[in-house]
Amino acid sequence: MSILTLPKTIQNAIQTMVYLTLNDKENCNVSKISKEYKISKTYLAKIVQTLSLNKLIKTSTGRNGGIYLNKKPESIKVIDIADAINGIKKKKNLCVLGIGDCNEKTHCPIHHSWKQVKNTINKKLSEQNLKTLSIELSKKINKK
């Protein structure tokens, strides 16, 4: 296990968004996506609800209902998906060691070195959009 691996819920949210991007001409729903990625339907439904509340996707019910991207994939950044799931904007000063707030005034022993790592990760996730990510992942999947 790597400390720098995204949490499983964020991974599943990204996979869902990639699926919607790659299958934008199809009627997508929680059942299809949960089968594709072997994710529990109820767990995925909660992820979809969170993505919907954060206006990244839209859902509709009924015979022709489904899940759709709410924005163009090139305008959705990976950090947007992570923030939607984590609510990072509300918790941006949490300590990596789990000891409460960590900022310039009150901080843990690794705050300054971890701050650099966190800034680099946030920058990279902010530069990567859903369209580019989907294209690259599609290439990887097709090579297998």
Side-chain angles (χ1 to χ4, degrees):
M1 179 181 103
S2 168
I3 191 170
L4 296 179
T5 302
L6 291 172
K8 193 69 173 163
T9 304
I10 293 175
Q11 290 176 12
N12 293 151
I14 292 169
Q15 290 170 335
T16 299
M17 299 291 283
V18 166
Y19 185 91
L20 295 173
T21 302
L22 295 175
N23 298 282
D24 66 334
K25 304 290 187 238
E26 292 180 29
N27 187 5
C28 300
N29 59 45
V30 170
S31 294
K32 280 184 184 179
I33 299 169
S34 70
K35 284 181 187 174
E36 176 73 24
Y37 293 114
K38 297 174 180 64
I39 305 169
S40 155
K41 261 176 41 172
T42 53
Y43 180 63
L44 184 58
K46 290 177 184 177
I47 292 171
V48 165
Q49 181 181 28
T50 301
L51 294 171
S52 179
L53 289 170
N54 284 276
K55 310 252 187 284
L56 294 175
I57 62 173
K58 54 186 172 184
T59 61
S60 60
T61 57
R63 186 173 182 198
N64 295 320
I67 307 167
Y68 313 92
L69 293 178
N70 198 34
K71 303 176 185 177
K72 293 182 178 181
E74 54 272 12
S75 70
I76 300 172
K77 306 293 184 191
V78 175
I79 195 75
D80 299 334
I81 302 167
D83 284 351
I85 297 300
N86 264 355
I88 286 179
K89 290 173 184 156
K90 298 174 194 164
K91 304 175 188 177
K92 66 180 181 177
N93 288 328
L94 286 181
C95 177
V96 69
L97 300 176
I99 54 174
D101 278 352
C102 206
N103 54 50
E104 296 302 316
K105 287 185 178 180
T106 58
H107 53 79
C108 71
I110 63 169
H111 172 75
H112 295 292
S113 56
W114 184 253
K115 179 180 173 184
Q116 292 174 356
V117 173
K118 188 166 88 171
N119 288 340
T120 300
I121 292 169
N122 284 335
K123 183 177 184 283
K124 294 295 180 188
L125 294 179
S126 296
E127 292 169 351
Q128 182 72 55
N129 72 53
L130 186 58
K131 183 176 183 175
T132 306
L133 179 66
S134 298
I135 291 167
E136 293 300 316
L137 288 175
S138 178
K139 289 177 188 175
K140 181 180 177 183
I141 292 167
N142 290 332
K143 283 184 180 180
K144 288 184 178 181

